[in-house]
Amino acid sequence: MLVVSAYMTQATNDKQEVAPTLSRLSALPEALGSVTDLLADTGYFGAANVNAFVDGNIQPSLAVAREHHHVSV
C-alpha cells in the first residue's frame, strides 16, 4: 500500500514536518497497518529525522544530495 501524506510540503522548513507527520500516522487506525518505509527528497535528510525513523522502526530512503537543474544536453 502506498500512502502519500498531505502533511508534507515543499516549504523551506519541511525538514521540521517529519516528527509531526509520523505522530499523525501513528494515530491512524491499527487496521490500516503501520508505516514500514519512507521515501523523501534531500530536504528531509538530517540527524533528527533519521533518528525519528529509527525510533519508529521505519526504513528511510532519503536523497543525500541534489542534482544540478537544467543540465546541458
Side-chain angles (χ1 to χ4, degrees):
M1 177 189 301
L2 173 66
V3 176
V4 178
S5 174
Y7 299 106
M8 303 300 244
T9 69
Q10 291 295 326
T12 56
N13 67 342
D14 57 3
K15 185 183 287 190
Q16 298 170 359
E17 295 178 19
V18 171
T21 298
L22 293 178
S23 177
R24 288 182 188 106
L25 289 173
S26 67
L28 292 173
E30 193 173 310
L32 294 176
S34 61
V35 176
T36 59
D37 297 89
L38 179 128
L39 175 65
D41 67 24
T42 189
Y44 298 98
F45 184 76
N49 288 340
V50 171
N51 290 333
F53 300 134
V54 170
D55 292 345
N57 202 25
I58 298 169
Q59 175 62 50
S61 296
L62 303 171
V64 294
R66 295 179 185 255
E67 291 183 11
H68 295 286
H69 293 282
H70 308 292
V71 178
S72 63
V73 182

